[in-house]
């Protein structure tokens, strides 16, 4: 008999539904799952906001006429240090506090910061070279809260059989959001004052929060006061660190991953200087190069997914590194050829990181 699930709002028969770990009926087709679509959109819009102002921040510091690589490196450093420091604690919070509420708070906090970002940059300008971009640390802090909370919420909205596909769709959409943001952000930086991009950025976080408001959160089993007190203890977090410390292979994997991302970030920070110095590019063209690098991430992910174990990782990485290393030594005579060659190299760098 058809029925209406009180927690998901989905009208269905048993043949059309699966069950989440909390026992909530969801459609077999993940694209018909209202809660997942809202979370998907919220993540896309939020990821868009994380990068929409990148070029405007560089413009506000006169990057094209100064040390653009240092400025880009400083911006990237301040934005991502909170991820390194706070993500373990953010995951702990996501397991103990209302997840949708945490994500909404993270979005609204970032909205307020971006709406007043031009003023905050002026206020922090006296704190050394990194002063003007220090407000990004606030953005990074709440982004570090948003990301693991989203990952923790997802299994409650989809069936276990849908989890891999759902994670893949969200990750892919995040890369697409970054690509769109860098291109649009570059256009805004070239044609408008920096504060226009900052205000639009604030609007993206507001839109993300609105999507989250309409998600119907499944009810969890009742817990006792003793259970809640135990869940709030920091012992689980300490146990997690001890687990990592006791497993050498896990430490090696984390170290290799950190080194790969470190190298990728170093290369990414040089892209603005390459675009400016190689053919006097604009902020919009810098955004295009970074978007193409993001496209390389997508190509790399698809390649790995299709070939699987048939493609040995050391061979794939060597191919990508060879292409990335060839780029700086290539000196084509044609100005147009230089641009196309470096676009290809940007894509290869993205493939390498996958």
């Amino acid at each position: 008999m058809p029925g209406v699930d009180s927690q998901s709002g989905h009208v269905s028969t048993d043949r059309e539904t699966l069950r989440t770990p909390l026992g909530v009926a969801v459609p077999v087709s993940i694209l018909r799952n209202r809660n997942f679509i809202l979370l998907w959109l919220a993540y896309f819009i939020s990821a868009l906001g994380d990068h929409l102002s990148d070029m405007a921040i560089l413009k506000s510091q006169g990057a094209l006429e100064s040390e653009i690589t240092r400025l880009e490196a400083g911006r990237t450093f301040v934005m991502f240090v909170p991820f390194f420091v706070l993500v373990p604690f953010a995951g702990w919070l996501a397991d103990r506090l209302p997840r949708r509420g945490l994500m909404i708070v993270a979005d609204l906090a970032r909205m307020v910061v971006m709406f007043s970002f031009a003023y905050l940059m002026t206020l922090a300008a006296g704190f050394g070279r990194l002063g003007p971009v220090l407000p990004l640390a606030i953005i990074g802090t709440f982004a570090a809260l948003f990301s693991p909370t989203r990952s923790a919420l997802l299994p409650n909205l989809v069936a276990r059989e849908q989890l891999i596909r759902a994670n893949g769709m969200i990750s892919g959409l995040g890369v697409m959001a970054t690509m769109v943001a860098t291109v649009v952000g570059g256009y805004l930086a070239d044609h408008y004052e920096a504060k226009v991009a900052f205000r639009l950025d604030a609007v993206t976080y507001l839109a993300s929060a609105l999507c989250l408001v309409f998600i119907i959160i499944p009810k969890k089993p009742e817990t006792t006061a003793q259970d809640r007190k135990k869940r709030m203890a920091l012992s689980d977090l300490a146990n997690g660190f001890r687990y990592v410390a006791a497993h050498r292979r896990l430490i090696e994997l984390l170290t290799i991953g950190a080194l790969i991302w470190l190298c990728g970030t170093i290369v990414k920070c040089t892209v603005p200087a390459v675009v400016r110095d190689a053919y006097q590019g604009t902020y919009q063209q810098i955004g295009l190069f970074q978007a193409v690098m993001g496209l390389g991430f997508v190509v790399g992910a698809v390649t790995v997914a299709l070939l699987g174990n048939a493609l040995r990782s050391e061979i794939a990485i060597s191919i990508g590194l060879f292409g990335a290393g060839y780029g700086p030594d290539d000196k084509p005579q044609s100005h147009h050829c230089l641009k196309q060659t470096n676009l290809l190299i940007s894509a290869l760098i993205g493939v390498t990181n996958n």
Side-chain angles (χ1 to χ4, degrees):
M1 292 288 293
V4 179
D5 190 278
S6 61
Q7 296 188 41
S8 67
H10 175 63
V11 181
S12 63
T13 65
D14 290 340
R15 291 182 179 180
E16 297 175 334
T17 62
L18 297 171
R19 294 278 172 178
T20 70
L22 295 179
V24 178
V26 294
V28 171
S29 171
I30 199 170
L31 294 178
R32 294 176 57 201
N33 184 331
R34 173 182 175 274
N35 286 333
F36 171 75
I37 294 299
L38 286 171
L39 181 65
W40 199 30
L41 288 175
Y43 177 66
F44 174 80
I45 298 170
S46 180
L48 193 70
D50 285 342
H51 298 281
L52 189 61
S53 296
D54 288 357
M55 295 300 106
I57 292 171
L58 290 178
K59 178 182 180 179
S60 66
Q61 297 178 279
L64 289 181
E65 295 81 30
S66 62
E67 303 173 89
I68 191 169
T69 300
R70 179 183 63 79
L71 294 174
E72 173 67 1
R75 185 194 65 77
T76 303
F77 175 79
V78 172
M79 178 70 179
F80 288 102
V81 160
F83 279 85
F84 177 76
V85 176
L86 299 176
V87 159
F89 300 96
W92 178 83
L93 283 175
D95 285 339
R96 287 154 179 81
L97 297 178
R99 292 164 183 168
R100 181 180 60 172
L102 283 175
M103 294 172 71
I104 291 173
V105 167
D107 273 336
L108 294 180
R110 288 181 289 177
M111 177 197 72
V112 172
V113 171
M114 289 312 307
F115 191 80
S116 56
F117 199 81
Y119 171 73
L120 292 175
M121 288 185 72
T122 303
L123 200 64
F127 293 91
R129 287 187 170 187
L130 290 178
V133 294
L134 283 180
L136 279 177
I138 306 174
I139 300 294
T141 297
F142 285 101
L145 176 64
F146 186 95
S147 184
T149 306
R150 183 263 306 163
S151 298
L153 178 61
L154 180 62
N156 293 335
L157 304 181
V158 301
R160 186 173 284 106
E161 302 93 319
Q162 299 172 321
L163 193 55
I164 293 177
R165 185 183 179 195
N167 271 315
M169 291 173 66
I170 287 178
S171 298
L173 200 65
V175 174
M176 291 176 60
T178 302
M179 293 165 60
V180 172
T182 54
V183 173
V184 174
Y187 176 84
L188 292 173
D190 274 344
H191 294 86
Y192 301 95
E193 295 181 6
K195 65 181 180 181
V196 173
F198 298 156
R199 300 290 172 82
L200 287 177
D201 209 339
V203 172
T204 64
Y205 290 126
L206 176 61
S208 174
L210 289 175
C211 289
L212 294 169
V213 165
F214 291 102
I215 293 178
I216 300 175
I217 303 298
K219 294 181 180 179
K220 295 183 178 180
E222 294 292 332
T223 57
T224 65
Q226 185 177 0
D227 289 337
R228 288 193 293 270
K229 184 177 179 180
K230 183 178 179 181
R231 281 167 57 86
M232 291 305 294
L234 290 171
S235 57
D236 286 347
L237 187 61
N239 289 336
F241 283 113
R242 281 193 289 267
Y243 179 86
V244 173
H247 291 77
R248 183 172 61 87
R249 293 293 186 186
L250 185 55
I251 295 174
E252 291 173 352
L253 182 63
L254 291 172
T255 302
I256 292 171
L259 287 173
I260 290 175
W261 279 100
L262 173 64
C263 294
T265 303
I266 291 173
V267 173
K268 179 180 178 294
C269 289
T270 66
V271 168
V274 170
V275 176
R276 181 194 65 181
D277 297 338
Y279 54 94
Q280 294 73 52
T282 63
Y283 291 108
Q284 187 172 359
Q285 290 168 328
I286 293 173
L288 174 62
F289 269 74
Q290 293 185 342
V292 172
M293 191 181 295
L295 179 61
F297 274 82
V298 176
V299 173
V302 172
T303 302
V304 171
L306 291 177
L307 297 181
N309 293 332
L311 179 63
R312 295 178 60 180
S313 58
E314 60 268 28
I315 295 176
I317 292 174
S318 297
I319 293 172
L321 290 175
F322 173 80
Y326 173 76
D329 291 332
D330 189 51
K331 305 295 183 186
Q333 297 299 315
S334 166
H335 179 82
H336 178 74
C337 182
L338 175 61
K339 178 179 178 180
Q340 301 307 321
T341 300
N342 281 296
L343 283 170
L344 175 60
I345 298 306
S346 296
L348 285 174
I349 291 169
V351 172
T352 302
N353 273 281
N354 274 280

